Amino acid sequence: MKEAFIREIALLGEEGFARLAAARVAVFGLGGVGSYAAEALVRAGIGTLDFVDGDAVAPSNLNRQLVALTGTIGKNKAEVMAARAREINPDAQVRAIPRFFTAETAETFDFSGYDFVADCIDSVPDKILLLACARAAGAGAVSCMGAGNKFDANAFRVAPIEKTRVCPLARLVRKGLRDANVTGVWAVYSEEEPRRPERAESAEGGRFIGSLSYVPASAGLLLAGHI
């Protein structure tokens, strides 16, 4: 499959591309941000990829998630992404892990072999724990902050988590990592003030977050670019 990457090799050189082919990366969360990050990593030639998500594709995902097609509704997101990745690069070692990363499942994950971990999950406590586990194992870690209720893809930045600003989610994660004495985490975050959606509450009674197709996609591509 080397022919598929000839234009990339023209920019990176054989040695640079070989580093990517030898790398092992995990993407946690295959939603609007994570699915685009995952695809960019596959198309960049990352040799070993783990995709982690316990969620299934829903109709409301169709406006922004790469894994969401009418034919994939009801299927596990990690498994859909893994199948897509194998179609792009059959030589890649791709594994789907169809479960959520939580405090209850954390011990089932081995971070020791990862070069980089991409955090694209939503729960603040789980994000902090995931990033702590990655850094404790010596893996690089980049975390996506809030991409919902935003319009401006140009407002995204990539920076050490300590230098993030404006984003409410970044503030919470920043404090949690500081309290846990975790360092070395990078963040993709937006300096756009989040908008208030017209529906303050969802039909299920929880907080409703609005999203546009290009916004989480832009964050996911920036995240992959950092890796």
Side-chain angles (χ1 to χ4, degrees), residues 32-77:
V33 174
S35 60
Y36 278 88
E39 176 128 342
L41 293 169
V42 174
R43 293 187 185 274
I46 298 295
T48 303
L49 288 153
D50 285 356
F51 298 140
V52 184
D53 200 319
D55 199 13
V57 178
S60 61
N61 301 151
L62 286 165
N63 79 315
R64 70 195 185 284
Q65 299 188 12
L66 204 58
V67 293
L69 303 168
T70 56
T72 63
I73 291 173
K75 297 181 179 180
N76 174 263
K77 292 179 182 180

Coordinates of all heavy atoms in Angstrom, one line a residue, residues 32-77:
G32 N -18.0 13.3 16.8 CA -17.8 14.4 15.8 C -16.3 14.8 15.7 O -15.8 15.0 14.6
V33 N -15.6 14.8 16.8 CA -14.2 15.1 16.8 C -13.3 13.9 16.6 O -12.5 13.8 15.7 CB -13.7 15.8 18.1 CG1 -12.2 16.0 18.2 CG2 -14.4 17.1 18.4
G34 N -13.6 12.8 17.3 CA -12.8 11.6 17.3 C -12.8 10.9 16.0 O -11.8 10.4 15.5
S35 N -14.0 10.9 15.3 CA -14.0 10.2 14.0 C -13.2 10.9 13.0 O -12.5 10.2 12.2 CB -15.5 10.1 13.5 OG -16.1 11.3 13.3
Y36 N -13.2 12.2 12.9 CA -12.3 12.9 12.0 C -10.8 12.8 12.3 O -10.0 12.6 11.4 CB -12.7 14.3 11.9 CG -13.9 14.5 10.9 CD1 -15.2 14.4 11.4 CD2 -13.8 14.8 9.6 CE1 -16.3 14.5 10.6 CE2 -14.8 14.9 8.7 CZ -16.1 14.8 9.2 OH -17.2 14.9 8.4
A37 N -10.5 12.8 13.6 CA -9.1 12.6 14.0 C -8.7 11.2 13.6 O -7.6 11.0 13.1 CB -9.0 12.8 15.5
A38 N -9.5 10.2 13.9 CA -9.1 8.9 13.6 C -8.9 8.7 12.1 O -7.9 8.1 11.7 CB -10.3 7.9 14.0
E39 N -9.8 9.2 11.2 CA -9.6 9.1 9.8 C -8.3 9.8 9.3 O -7.6 9.2 8.5 CB -10.8 9.6 9.0 CG -10.6 9.6 7.5 CD -11.8 8.9 6.8 OE1 -12.5 8.2 7.4 OE2 -11.9 9.1 5.6
A40 N -8.0 10.9 9.8 CA -6.8 11.6 9.4 C -5.6 10.9 9.8 O -4.6 10.8 9.1 CB -6.8 13.0 10.1
L41 N -5.6 10.2 11.0 CA -4.5 9.4 11.4 C -4.3 8.2 10.5 O -3.2 7.8 10.2 CB -4.7 9.0 12.9 CG -4.6 10.1 13.9 CD1 -5.1 9.6 15.3 CD2 -3.2 10.7 14.0
V42 N -5.4 7.5 10.1 CA -5.3 6.4 9.2 C -4.7 6.9 7.9 O -3.8 6.2 7.4 CB -6.7 5.8 9.0 CG1 -6.6 4.7 7.9 CG2 -7.3 5.2 10.2
R43 N -5.2 8.0 7.4 CA -4.8 8.4 6.1 C -3.3 9.0 6.1 O -2.7 9.2 5.1 CB -5.7 9.5 5.5 CG -7.1 8.9 5.2 CD -8.0 9.9 4.5 NE -9.3 9.3 4.3 CZ -9.7 8.6 3.2 NH1 -8.8 8.3 2.3 NH2 -10.9 8.1 3.1
A44 N -2.8 9.3 7.3 CA -1.5 9.7 7.5 C -0.5 8.5 7.6 O 0.7 8.7 7.6 CB -1.3 10.6 8.8
G45 N -1.0 7.3 7.7 CA -0.2 6.1 7.7 C 0.2 5.6 9.0 O 1.2 4.9 9.1
I46 N -0.5 6.1 10.1 CA -0.1 5.5 11.4 C -0.3 4.0 11.3 O -1.4 3.5 10.9 CB -1.1 6.1 12.5 CG1 -0.9 7.6 12.6 CG2 -0.8 5.4 13.8 CD1 0.5 8.1 13.1
G47 N 0.7 3.3 11.8 CA 0.7 1.8 11.6 C -0.2 1.0 12.5 O -0.8 0.0 12.0
T48 N -0.4 1.4 13.7 CA -1.2 0.7 14.7 C -2.2 1.6 15.4 O -1.8 2.6 15.9 CB -0.3 0.0 15.7 OG1 0.6 -0.9 15.0 CG2 -1.2 -0.9 16.6
L49 N -3.5 1.3 15.3 CA -4.5 2.2 15.8 C -5.5 1.4 16.6 O -6.0 0.4 16.2 CB -5.2 2.9 14.7 CG -4.4 4.0 13.9 CD1 -4.9 4.1 12.5 CD2 -4.5 5.3 14.7
D50 N -5.8 2.0 17.8 CA -6.9 1.4 18.7 C -8.0 2.5 18.7 O -7.7 3.7 19.0 CB -6.4 1.1 20.1 CG -5.6 -0.1 20.2 OD1 -5.4 -0.8 19.1 OD2 -5.1 -0.4 21.2
F51 N -9.2 2.0 18.4 CA -10.4 2.9 18.5 C -11.3 2.5 19.6 O -11.7 1.3 19.7 CB -11.2 2.9 17.2 CG -10.4 3.4 16.0 CD1 -10.5 2.7 14.8 CD2 -9.5 4.5 16.1 CE1 -9.7 3.2 13.7 CE2 -8.7 4.9 15.0 CZ -8.9 4.2 13.8
V52 N -11.6 3.4 20.6 CA -12.3 3.1 21.8 C -13.6 3.9 21.9 O -13.5 5.1 21.9 CB -11.4 3.4 23.0 CG1 -12.1 2.9 24.3 CG2 -10.1 2.7 22.9
D53 N -14.7 3.2 21.9 CA -16.0 3.9 22.1 C -17.1 2.8 22.4 O -17.2 1.8 21.6 CB -16.4 4.7 20.9 CG -17.4 5.8 21.3 OD1 -18.3 5.5 22.0 OD2 -17.3 6.9 20.8
G54 N -17.8 3.0 23.4 CA -18.9 2.1 23.7 C -20.3 2.5 23.1 O -21.2 1.7 23.3
D55 N -20.3 3.6 22.4 CA -21.6 4.1 21.9 C -21.9 3.6 20.6 O -21.0 3.2 19.8 CB -21.4 5.7 21.9 CG -22.8 6.4 21.8 OD1 -23.8 5.7 22.1 OD2 -22.8 7.6 21.5
A56 N -23.2 3.7 20.2 CA -23.7 3.3 18.9 C -24.1 4.5 18.1 O -24.5 5.5 18.7 CB -24.9 2.3 19.1
V57 N -24.0 4.4 16.8 CA -24.4 5.5 15.9 C -25.9 5.7 16.0 O -26.7 4.8 16.0 CB -24.0 5.2 14.5 CG1 -24.5 6.3 13.5 CG2 -22.5 4.9 14.3
A58 N -26.3 7.0 16.2 CA -27.7 7.4 16.3 C -28.0 8.4 15.2 O -27.1 9.0 14.6 CB -27.9 8.1 17.6
P59 N -29.3 8.5 14.8 CA -29.7 9.4 13.7 C -29.2 10.9 14.0 O -28.8 11.6 13.0 CB -31.2 9.4 13.8 CG -31.5 8.0 14.3 CD -30.4 7.7 15.3
S60 N -29.1 11.3 15.2 CA -28.7 12.7 15.5 C -27.2 12.9 15.3 O -26.7 14.0 15.3 CB -29.0 13.1 16.9 OG -28.4 12.2 17.9
N61 N -26.5 11.8 15.0 CA -25.0 11.9 14.7 C -24.8 12.2 13.2 O -23.7 12.6 12.8 CB -24.3 10.6 15.0 CG -24.4 10.2 16.4 OD1 -24.4 9.0 16.7 ND2 -24.6 11.1 17.4
L62 N -25.8 12.1 12.4 CA -25.6 12.2 10.9 C -25.1 13.6 10.5 O -24.5 13.7 9.4 CB -26.9 11.9 10.2 CG -27.3 10.4 10.2 CD1 -28.8 10.2 9.7 CD2 -26.4 9.6 9.2
N63 N -25.3 14.6 11.3 CA -24.9 16.0 10.8 C -23.5 16.3 11.0 O -23.0 17.3 10.5 CB -25.8 17.0 11.5 CG -25.3 17.3 12.9 OD1 -25.0 16.4 13.7 ND2 -25.2 18.6 13.3
R64 N -22.7 15.4 11.8 CA -21.4 15.8 12.1 C -20.4 14.7 12.3 O -19.2 14.9 12.5 CB -21.4 16.7 13.4 CG -21.7 15.9 14.6 CD -22.1 16.8 15.8 NE -22.3 16.0 17.0 CZ -23.4 15.2 17.2 NH1 -24.4 15.2 16.3 NH2 -23.5 14.6 18.4
Q65 N -20.8 13.4 12.3 CA -19.9 12.3 12.7 C -19.5 11.5 11.5 O -20.4 11.0 10.8 CB -20.4 11.5 13.8 CG -20.7 12.2 15.1 CD -21.1 11.4 16.3 OE1 -21.0 10.1 16.2 NE2 -21.5 12.0 17.3
L66 N -18.3 11.3 11.2 CA -17.8 10.5 10.0 C -18.3 9.1 10.0 O -18.5 8.5 9.0 CB -16.3 10.6 10.0 CG -15.6 10.4 8.6 CD1 -16.1 11.5 7.6 CD2 -14.1 10.5 8.8
V67 N -18.5 8.5 11.2 CA -19.0 7.1 11.3 C -20.5 7.0 11.0 O -21.0 5.9 10.9 CB -18.7 6.5 12.6 CG1 -17.2 6.4 12.8 CG2 -19.3 7.4 13.8
A68 N -21.2 8.1 11.0 CA -22.6 8.1 10.9 C -23.1 8.1 9.5 O -23.0 9.1 8.7 CB -23.2 9.3 11.7
L69 N -23.7 7.0 9.0 CA -24.4 6.9 7.8 C -25.8 6.3 8.1 O -25.9 5.6 9.1 CB -23.6 6.0 6.8 CG -22.2 6.5 6.5 CD1 -21.5 5.4 5.7 CD2 -22.2 7.8 5.6
T70 N -26.7 6.4 7.2 CA -28.0 5.7 7.4 C -27.8 4.2 7.6 O -28.5 3.5 8.3 CB -29.0 6.0 6.3 OG1 -28.4 5.6 5.0 CG2 -29.4 7.4 6.3
G71 N -26.8 3.6 6.9 CA -26.5 2.2 7.0 C -25.7 1.8 8.3 O -25.6 0.6 8.5
T72 N -25.2 2.7 9.1 CA -24.5 2.4 10.3 C -25.2 2.7 11.5 O -24.7 2.4 12.6 CB -23.1 3.1 10.3 OG1 -23.3 4.5 10.4 CG2 -22.3 2.8 9.1
I73 N -26.4 3.2 11.4 CA -27.2 3.6 12.6 C -27.4 2.3 13.4 O -27.8 1.2 12.9 CB -28.6 4.2 12.3 CG1 -28.3 5.6 11.7 CG2 -29.5 4.3 13.5 CD1 -29.5 6.3 11.1
G74 N -27.2 2.4 14.8 CA -27.3 1.2 15.7 C -26.0 0.4 15.8 O -26.0 -0.4 16.7
K75 N -25.0 0.7 15.0 CA -23.8 -0.1 15.1 C -22.8 0.7 16.0 O -22.8 1.9 16.1 CB -23.2 -0.2 13.7 CG -24.0 -1.1 12.7 CD -23.3 -1.2 11.4 CE -24.2 -2.1 10.4 NZ -23.6 -2.2 9.1
N76 N -21.9 -0.1 16.6 CA -20.9 0.5 17.5 C -19.9 1.4 16.7 O -19.4 1.0 15.7 CB -20.1 -0.6 18.2 CG -19.0 -0.1 19.0 OD1 -17.9 0.0 18.6 ND2 -19.3 0.4 20.2
K77 N -19.7 2.6 17.3 CA -18.8 3.6 16.6 C -17.4 3.1 16.4 O -16.8 3.3 15.3 CB -18.9 4.9 17.3 CG -20.2 5.6 17.3 CD -20.2 6.9 18.1 CE -21.6 7.5 18.1 NZ -21.6 8.8 18.9

